Amino acid sequence: MPQPSMLILLVVTSAMTSMSASPQDRPAQTASPAIPDKVSSFERAARVNNPSYTSTATAGDAKPFDPAGATQAWLDGVPRNQREKSDAYFEGGYWLILWNFLLTAGISVFLLASRFSARLRDFSERVTKIKNFQVACYAIPYLLFVYALSFPLNLYENFFREHQYGLATQSFAPWFREQLMSLALTLVGGTLLVVVLYAVFRRASRTWWIWGTIVMIIFSGTLVLIAPVYIEPLFNTYRPLTDPKIRDPILAMARANEIPVKQVFEVDASRQTTRVSANVSGLLGTTRVALNDNLLKQCALPEIRAVMAHEMGHYVLNHGAKLLTYLGILLLVGFALTRVLFDAAVRRWGNKWGVHSIADPAGIPLLALILSTLVFIATPFLNTVVRITEREADAFGINTSREPEGMAKVALKLGAYRKLAPTPLEEFIFFDHPSGRARIRMAMDWKAANLPAGELVTVEGAPATR
């Protein structure tokens, strides 16, 4: 649902720093190219494109492994109808970004132009004389009102559409129950955040954009700290993974990278979705390695190792702290721009809307309008920041797991809901993770650089080397 942009940024921070490969990823209903393990890598690529291909190569005419050709072979192995379905799902998300922004903007303008926001502020002032309580009395009905108006789009986007593409498993009742739980958490956390921010606005009317950034960073960091322990278990059950064939290789990678965990948790995500996911999350003693049951059911050990090594990359490379730092910089810039735009809007329309200053709770819809507009405009940049960290984690993961085939298979499975081969412009604007094509190419490049000595071949006419 569209929410005030401060809360949108908070949710984005939580998602980025939870370090999930993608909490919504699911495998496509396709297998990776079924090619015998003993043929050469070049032949594997050739046989995917041409099943009738037979090798007559000798040491004198053998060809080197071709990462580009192998990448295309993996992509060509996905049936056309599944590619079209995946593309349609992901491209539909482009429009949902726009519709969500327009809905947030429309709700904000309505609340201001109708003076509903001003009347709600007046009501809160009649209820209590304590400023902090006045803000709370405004924030709670405001959040409820926004949720109610945005519910139809929320219902379509997160329930009907997910079922339409075969990505959801919940019936309406449990889905709606979880929506109400999320709303309750938003009411508690969102109200607390707004109260603290408006206390800052009242005490620092000129420098609120600096102190407000500090408040947001502290709040976001706290959320990252407590979410694995107190929030995520409200929606799913976490049990220790007992299968030693899966658990022990994961813990071995964790120990090798000095990740302080002693067990791996399994999450019952299959009751909500068909997607695969995993994460290494938490700070200061709350660190936890977790993978969902879909990953266990639908992926082989090499794929699981590739996914978990990627997640460990986020932890080892301190992406949580880095993304929090980037968020702080973006918030500082965003709040600085908001200060200028907010003051200009109040001078122009303040009397008409009944909004007096930044410290006036009636201005919350105006804050939401400005910040959501800035976030919408900055979508390509925000996605690029996250995509770069994901690519770093991919590189760490392939070097740790040493599973190029596993990484390629997982990339195809994530392609069930993310377009596998976008245009460069699409990837720049809309992708917060590398595309499937980019990930498979990384895996094939790594494989080419790390072929066992027995598989090293030379160009045509040159003697083979070992």
Side-chain angles (χ1 to χ4, degrees), residues 410-425:
V410 169
L412 290 184
K413 290 177 178 178
L414 301 186
Y417 86 104
R418 184 181 293 132
K419 194 172 183 178
L420 281 169
T423 66
L425 183 61

PDB file of all heavy atoms in Angstrom, residues 410-425:
ATOM      1  N   VAL A 410      19.961 -21.051 -10.548  1.00  0.00           N
ATOM      2  CA  VAL A 410      19.192 -20.169  -9.677  1.00  0.00           C
ATOM      3  C   VAL A 410      18.765 -18.915 -10.433  1.00  0.00           C
ATOM      4  O   VAL A 410      17.634 -18.445 -10.283  1.00  0.00           O
ATOM      5  CB  VAL A 410      20.005 -19.794  -8.428  1.00  0.00           C
ATOM      6  CG1 VAL A 410      19.317 -18.679  -7.652  1.00  0.00           C
ATOM      7  CG2 VAL A 410      20.185 -21.009  -7.521  1.00  0.00           C
ATOM      8  N   ALA A 411      19.652 -18.371 -11.259  1.00  0.00           N
ATOM      9  CA  ALA A 411      19.301 -17.181 -12.038  1.00  0.00           C
ATOM     10  C   ALA A 411      18.111 -17.449 -12.942  1.00  0.00           C
ATOM     11  O   ALA A 411      17.232 -16.592 -13.112  1.00  0.00           O
ATOM     12  CB  ALA A 411      20.506 -16.729 -12.860  1.00  0.00           C
ATOM     13  N   LEU A 412      18.051 -18.655 -13.535  1.00  0.00           N
ATOM     14  CA  LEU A 412      16.895 -19.000 -14.360  1.00  0.00           C
ATOM     15  C   LEU A 412      15.639 -19.110 -13.519  1.00  0.00           C
ATOM     16  O   LEU A 412      14.552 -18.716 -13.943  1.00  0.00           O
ATOM     17  CB  LEU A 412      17.149 -20.316 -15.090  1.00  0.00           C
ATOM     18  CG  LEU A 412      18.195 -20.309 -16.213  1.00  0.00           C
ATOM     19  CD1 LEU A 412      18.238 -21.684 -16.871  1.00  0.00           C
ATOM     20  CD2 LEU A 412      17.894 -19.231 -17.245  1.00  0.00           C
ATOM     21  N   LYS A 413      15.772 -19.640 -12.328  1.00  0.00           N
ATOM     22  CA  LYS A 413      14.596 -19.800 -11.471  1.00  0.00           C
ATOM     23  C   LYS A 413      14.080 -18.450 -10.980  1.00  0.00           C
ATOM     24  O   LYS A 413      12.869 -18.234 -10.904  1.00  0.00           O
ATOM     25  CB  LYS A 413      14.942 -20.723 -10.303  1.00  0.00           C
ATOM     26  CG  LYS A 413      15.144 -22.160 -10.757  1.00  0.00           C
ATOM     27  CD  LYS A 413      15.554 -23.082  -9.632  1.00  0.00           C
ATOM     28  CE  LYS A 413      15.689 -24.518 -10.153  1.00  0.00           C
ATOM     29  NZ  LYS A 413      16.127 -25.464  -9.127  1.00  0.00           N
ATOM     30  N   LEU A 414      14.991 -17.554 -10.678  1.00  0.00           N
ATOM     31  CA  LEU A 414      14.544 -16.212 -10.297  1.00  0.00           C
ATOM     32  C   LEU A 414      13.893 -15.517 -11.485  1.00  0.00           C
ATOM     33  O   LEU A 414      13.097 -14.590 -11.317  1.00  0.00           O
ATOM     34  CB  LEU A 414      15.732 -15.373  -9.802  1.00  0.00           C
ATOM     35  CG  LEU A 414      16.506 -15.919  -8.599  1.00  0.00           C
ATOM     36  CD1 LEU A 414      17.545 -14.908  -8.137  1.00  0.00           C
ATOM     37  CD2 LEU A 414      15.570 -16.262  -7.463  1.00  0.00           C
ATOM     38  N   GLY A 415      14.227 -15.970 -12.687  1.00  0.00           N
ATOM     39  CA  GLY A 415      13.636 -15.406 -13.886  1.00  0.00           C
ATOM     40  C   GLY A 415      12.163 -15.712 -14.041  1.00  0.00           C
ATOM     41  O   GLY A 415      11.529 -15.227 -14.974  1.00  0.00           O
ATOM     42  N   ALA A 416      11.597 -16.484 -13.145  1.00  0.00           N
ATOM     43  CA  ALA A 416      10.159 -16.740 -13.189  1.00  0.00           C
ATOM     44  C   ALA A 416       9.362 -15.479 -12.888  1.00  0.00           C
ATOM     45  O   ALA A 416       8.189 -15.376 -13.249  1.00  0.00           O
ATOM     46  CB  ALA A 416       9.778 -17.834 -12.191  1.00  0.00           C
ATOM     47  N   TYR A 417       9.980 -14.518 -12.223  1.00  0.00           N
ATOM     48  CA  TYR A 417       9.252 -13.283 -11.931  1.00  0.00           C
ATOM     49  C   TYR A 417      10.065 -12.041 -12.278  1.00  0.00           C
ATOM     50  O   TYR A 417       9.570 -10.920 -12.179  1.00  0.00           O
ATOM     51  CB  TYR A 417       8.856 -13.225 -10.449  1.00  0.00           C
ATOM     52  CG  TYR A 417       9.923 -12.657  -9.543  1.00  0.00           C
ATOM     53  CD1 TYR A 417       9.821 -11.361  -9.054  1.00  0.00           C
ATOM     54  CD2 TYR A 417      11.029 -13.412  -9.192  1.00  0.00           C
ATOM     55  CE1 TYR A 417      10.796 -10.835  -8.229  1.00  0.00           C
ATOM     56  CE2 TYR A 417      11.995 -12.900  -8.371  1.00  0.00           C
ATOM     57  CZ  TYR A 417      11.877 -11.610  -7.885  1.00  0.00           C
ATOM     58  OH  TYR A 417      12.847 -11.093  -7.073  1.00  0.00           O
ATOM     59  N   ARG A 418      11.313 -12.220 -12.704  1.00  0.00           N
ATOM     60  CA  ARG A 418      12.146 -11.087 -13.097  1.00  0.00           C
ATOM     61  C   ARG A 418      12.617 -11.305 -14.531  1.00  0.00           C
ATOM     62  O   ARG A 418      13.128 -12.367 -14.870  1.00  0.00           O
ATOM     63  CB  ARG A 418      13.347 -10.966 -12.154  1.00  0.00           C
ATOM     64  CG  ARG A 418      14.222  -9.758 -12.433  1.00  0.00           C
ATOM     65  CD  ARG A 418      15.406  -9.704 -11.498  1.00  0.00           C
ATOM     66  NE  ARG A 418      14.982  -9.469 -10.138  1.00  0.00           N
ATOM     67  CZ  ARG A 418      15.411 -10.177  -9.091  1.00  0.00           C
ATOM     68  NH1 ARG A 418      16.271 -11.172  -9.268  1.00  0.00           N
ATOM     69  NH2 ARG A 418      14.989  -9.895  -7.884  1.00  0.00           N
ATOM     70  N   LYS A 419      12.441 -10.300 -15.362  1.00  0.00           N
ATOM     71  CA  LYS A 419      12.779 -10.405 -16.774  1.00  0.00           C
ATOM     72  C   LYS A 419      14.225 -10.834 -16.940  1.00  0.00           C
ATOM     73  O   LYS A 419      15.141 -10.219 -16.395  1.00  0.00           O
ATOM     74  CB  LYS A 419      12.537  -9.058 -17.454  1.00  0.00           C
ATOM     75  CG  LYS A 419      12.534  -9.102 -18.966  1.00  0.00           C
ATOM     76  CD  LYS A 419      12.086  -7.761 -19.542  1.00  0.00           C
ATOM     77  CE  LYS A 419      12.000  -7.821 -21.057  1.00  0.00           C
ATOM     78  NZ  LYS A 419      11.525  -6.532 -21.622  1.00  0.00           N
ATOM     79  N   LEU A 420      14.448 -11.905 -17.712  1.00  0.00           N
ATOM     80  CA  LEU A 420      15.778 -12.487 -17.826  1.00  0.00           C
ATOM     81  C   LEU A 420      16.731 -11.646 -18.668  1.00  0.00           C
ATOM     82  O   LEU A 420      17.916 -11.532 -18.346  1.00  0.00           O
ATOM     83  CB  LEU A 420      15.687 -13.892 -18.422  1.00  0.00           C
ATOM     84  CG  LEU A 420      15.275 -15.016 -17.471  1.00  0.00           C
ATOM     85  CD1 LEU A 420      14.978 -16.289 -18.260  1.00  0.00           C
ATOM     86  CD2 LEU A 420      16.341 -15.266 -16.428  1.00  0.00           C
ATOM     87  N   ALA A 421      16.240 -11.072 -19.747  1.00  0.00           N
ATOM     88  CA  ALA A 421      17.122 -10.372 -20.675  1.00  0.00           C
ATOM     89  C   ALA A 421      16.551  -8.994 -21.012  1.00  0.00           C
ATOM     90  O   ALA A 421      16.052  -8.767 -22.124  1.00  0.00           O
ATOM     91  CB  ALA A 421      17.320 -11.196 -21.945  1.00  0.00           C
ATOM     92  N   PRO A 422      16.632  -8.057 -20.085  1.00  0.00           N
ATOM     93  CA  PRO A 422      16.095  -6.718 -20.339  1.00  0.00           C
ATOM     94  C   PRO A 422      17.036  -5.908 -21.226  1.00  0.00           C
ATOM     95  O   PRO A 422      18.204  -6.261 -21.424  1.00  0.00           O
ATOM     96  CB  PRO A 422      16.020  -6.112 -18.935  1.00  0.00           C
ATOM     97  CG  PRO A 422      17.176  -6.754 -18.222  1.00  0.00           C
ATOM     98  CD  PRO A 422      17.218  -8.169 -18.736  1.00  0.00           C
ATOM     99  N   THR A 423      16.532  -4.806 -21.737  1.00  0.00           N
ATOM    100  CA  THR A 423      17.400  -3.860 -22.425  1.00  0.00           C
ATOM    101  C   THR A 423      18.257  -3.137 -21.378  1.00  0.00           C
ATOM    102  O   THR A 423      17.901  -3.105 -20.188  1.00  0.00           O
ATOM    103  CB  THR A 423      16.579  -2.823 -23.202  1.00  0.00           C
ATOM    104  OG1 THR A 423      15.849  -2.012 -22.264  1.00  0.00           O
ATOM    105  CG2 THR A 423      15.611  -3.496 -24.163  1.00  0.00           C
ATOM    106  N   PRO A 424      19.387  -2.551 -21.785  1.00  0.00           N
ATOM    107  CA  PRO A 424      20.209  -1.805 -20.813  1.00  0.00           C
ATOM    108  C   PRO A 424      19.433  -0.705 -20.100  1.00  0.00           C
ATOM    109  O   PRO A 424      19.638  -0.480 -18.905  1.00  0.00           O
ATOM    110  CB  PRO A 424      21.336  -1.240 -21.687  1.00  0.00           C
ATOM    111  CG  PRO A 424      21.455  -2.204 -22.834  1.00  0.00           C
ATOM    112  CD  PRO A 424      20.052  -2.650 -23.111  1.00  0.00           C
ATOM    113  N   LEU A 425      18.548  -0.016 -20.818  1.00  0.00           N
ATOM    114  CA  LEU A 425      17.767   1.056 -20.195  1.00  0.00           C
ATOM    115  C   LEU A 425      16.815   0.493 -19.152  1.00  0.00           C
ATOM    116  O   LEU A 425      16.674   1.062 -18.056  1.00  0.00           O
ATOM    117  CB  LEU A 425      16.984   1.827 -21.259  1.00  0.00           C
ATOM    118  CG  LEU A 425      16.171   3.028 -20.744  1.00  0.00           C
ATOM    119  CD1 LEU A 425      17.100   4.060 -20.105  1.00  0.00           C
ATOM    120  CD2 LEU A 425      15.359   3.650 -21.882  1.00  0.00           C
TER     121      LEU A 425
END
